[in-house]
Amino acid sequence: MPIVKRKLSRTFRNFFDSEKSSGILLIVCTAVSLLLTNSAAGEGYLGLWHAYVGPLSLEHWINDALMAVFFLFIGLELERELYVGELSDFRNALLPIVAALGGICAPALIHYALNAGTPTQAGVGIPMATDIAFALGVLALLGSRVPASLKVFLTALAVMDDLGAIVVIALFYTAELSLAYLAGALGVFVMLIALNRMRVLSLLPYLLGGALMWFLMLKSGVHATIAGVLLAFAIPFTGKEEDAESPSHRLEHFLHRPVAFVILPVFALANTAIVVGAGALQGLTASNSLGIILGLLIGKPVGITLLSFAAVAAGVCRLPFDLSWRHVFGAGLLGGIGFTMSIFITNLAFAGGAEVINASKMAILLASLTAGAAGFLWLKLLGRPVAGDEDMDAMDFEVSAPGEA
């Protein structure tokens, strides 16, 4: 069978390598937040995030404004993947797309089955998403014990997973809708697209327009973070992987470290202030919590593996030569690390319901910790490349030549 040697891009290697440190920092911030919340300083710590700065509380500024920057970064990543990354080749992209679909639908169905017709049915989107930083951070700890193509597969899967979560947020987690403000936001987006078509490569007009679009989206009732994704696709991409003149590449490169080491850690500090009280165990046995836990721990690996297997068996797509189904199942286990996006959707699904939000976050943390540990152990024991012991730290891998089975 012909084999094609392929080197992964420097952008991908830099992105992947930084996730290990980012994931560790998120764990530390979560632990600090939990300890402070349940200490003598807990009341003051909670009050800090609820303090108002201008028209919004500090927590809302983080969740509506800082997370819009995070969504902008996710959009830029997705844009790069679609133009020059793994998603640019439809045949390569199809497997992680199918896997992501399975990883979105199965957890949602599990949660829905347990909560249909109840007030917690709105939490159906919570177990859908995969936390990129945590999942890739765990995978990075395994180093050369896993094939490089697994790292690419999980990255593409997580990006598509987040795209699915963004669509769910836009469609189903919208407050009262103001058509006038929404029309204004979309009008700004159209103008930014026009600048893109005119090949305006300066970032300034896009950033100014993006800020205006964010404000209009905030007032429209559609969650303001969606403006970040729209802005990402309005910013020009030259089509070259590491072209320093590409506005999209420059902004993604600039945002990478602030997002990984500032925005996500601050989000973790503000959103994992979970009170572990006497009724904590009872909260974890509620139908909503069980839906989240079972969705992340069972729905994710089963959905990802089964739908991928069905697609490969039907000849729709194929596995990279150095992957086996045990690798795909391991990726599915790591896909059960919800954290950032799951917590984010929790805040939207149960706005104003402090008790159910607290219980949901506990379920997310428990399921994510278990999924991360299970995925790490599974891949450490069973994750060796099927094609031999090549130096996978070089981040090179081989795939079957086009047209070959």
Side-chain angles (χ1 to χ4, degrees):
M1 180 178 65
I3 297 295
V4 177
K5 188 76 170 178
R6 179 175 181 180
K7 181 180 283 293
L8 299 186
S9 71
R10 187 171 65 214
T11 301
F12 178 88
R13 294 197 301 272
N14 292 339
F15 167 74
F16 184 86
D17 290 342
S18 72
E19 298 310 304
K20 179 178 178 179
S21 300
S22 177
I24 292 171
L25 183 58
L26 283 177
I27 293 173
V28 171
C29 288
T30 301
V32 168
S33 181
L34 286 170
L35 287 172
L36 286 174
T37 303
N38 294 280
S39 71
E43 188 175 342
Y45 182 72
L46 288 170
L48 169 67
W49 302 115
H50 295 149
Y52 271 73
V53 180
L56 300 174
S57 69
L58 187 56
E59 183 180 34
H60 276 119
W61 278 115
I62 292 166
N63 292 341
D64 286 4
L66 282 186
M67 288 303 285
V69 179
F70 167 73
F71 275 66
L72 167 60
F73 180 68
I74 291 294
L76 292 170
E77 284 179 349
L78 181 59
E79 184 182 38
R80 169 172 52 81
E81 288 296 314
L82 289 170
Y83 276 106
V84 296
E86 288 308 303
L87 303 180
S88 62
D89 184 324
F90 183 71
R91 194 163 177 82
N92 285 342
L94 202 52
L95 182 61
I97 289 173
V98 168
L101 185 62
I104 288 172
C105 293
L109 288 172
I110 288 174
H111 188 282
Y112 182 79
L114 293 172
N115 293 273
T118 71
T120 53
Q121 179 180 313
V124 69
I126 296 173
M128 286 184 178
T130 296
D131 189 286
I132 295 178
F134 270 130
L136 297 188
V138 172
L139 201 58
L141 294 174
L142 292 163
S144 60
R145 294 186 185 92
V146 296
S149 51
L150 180 61
K151 300 171 184 179
V152 175
F153 172 73
L154 183 59
T155 301
L157 163 64
V159 169
M160 295 307 299
D161 223 327
D162 276 356
L163 177 62
I166 289 166
V167 172
V168 167
I169 290 169
L171 294 179
F172 301 109
Y173 293 102
T174 295
E176 292 183 11
L177 188 63
S178 169
L179 292 178
Y181 279 110
L182 180 59
L186 295 178
V188 173
F189 177 62
V190 169
M191 286 190 292
L192 294 178
I193 292 293
L195 291 178
N196 184 318
R197 293 292 181 264
M198 291 187 290
R199 307 308 296 165
V200 175
L201 299 183
S202 171
L203 274 171
L204 183 59
Y206 296 100
L207 296 180
L208 292 176
L212 176 59
M213 182 166 57
W214 174 85
F215 172 77
L216 294 170
M217 198 70 79
L218 178 69
K219 301 293 285 185
S220 75
V222 176
H223 202 272
T225 51
I226 301 301
V229 181
L230 295 178
L231 177 59
F233 283 92
I235 294 173
F237 189 97
T238 63
K240 297 180 180 179
E241 167 62 26
E242 298 181 25
D243 184 355
E245 297 304 315
S246 169
S248 179
H249 176 75
R250 282 188 283 127
L251 186 58
E252 182 187 3
H253 179 75
F254 174 80
L255 289 178
H256 193 179
R257 290 190 180 277
V259 166
F261 299 111
V262 178
I263 292 175
L264 290 183
V266 169
F267 175 85
L269 287 170
N271 288 277
T272 56
I274 302 168
V275 179
V276 183
L281 217 52
Q282 184 178 354
L284 289 174
T285 60
S287 58
N288 175 62
S289 297
L290 288 176
I292 293 169
I293 293 169
L294 295 177
L296 290 172
L297 292 181
I298 297 177
K300 276 290 184 182
V302 170
I304 287 169
T305 305
L306 286 185
L307 204 58
S308 297
F309 181 81
V312 171
V316 174
C317 49
R318 58 169 178 257
L319 287 176
F321 90 103
D322 57 347
L323 291 191
S324 69
W325 290 112
R326 66 177 184 268
H327 294 116
V328 175
F329 185 77
L333 288 172
L334 294 181
I337 305 175
F339 199 75
T340 304
M341 291 298 290
S342 293
I343 290 175
F344 187 79
I345 294 175
T346 294
N347 293 330
L348 300 179
F350 304 121
E355 188 174 334
V356 69
I357 287 177
N358 197 74
S360 298
K361 289 180 178 179
M362 284 189 62
I364 291 165
L365 290 182
L366 177 63
S368 296
L369 179 63
T370 305
F376 177 83
L377 291 173
W378 176 275
L379 290 171
K380 185 176 182 180
L381 295 173
L382 302 171
R384 292 297 303 179
V386 298
D389 296 324
E390 294 87 357
D391 180 13
M392 292 298 169
D393 280 335
M395 297 296 286
D396 294 337
F397 71 104
E398 297 169 330
V399 294
S400 302
E404 295 293 329

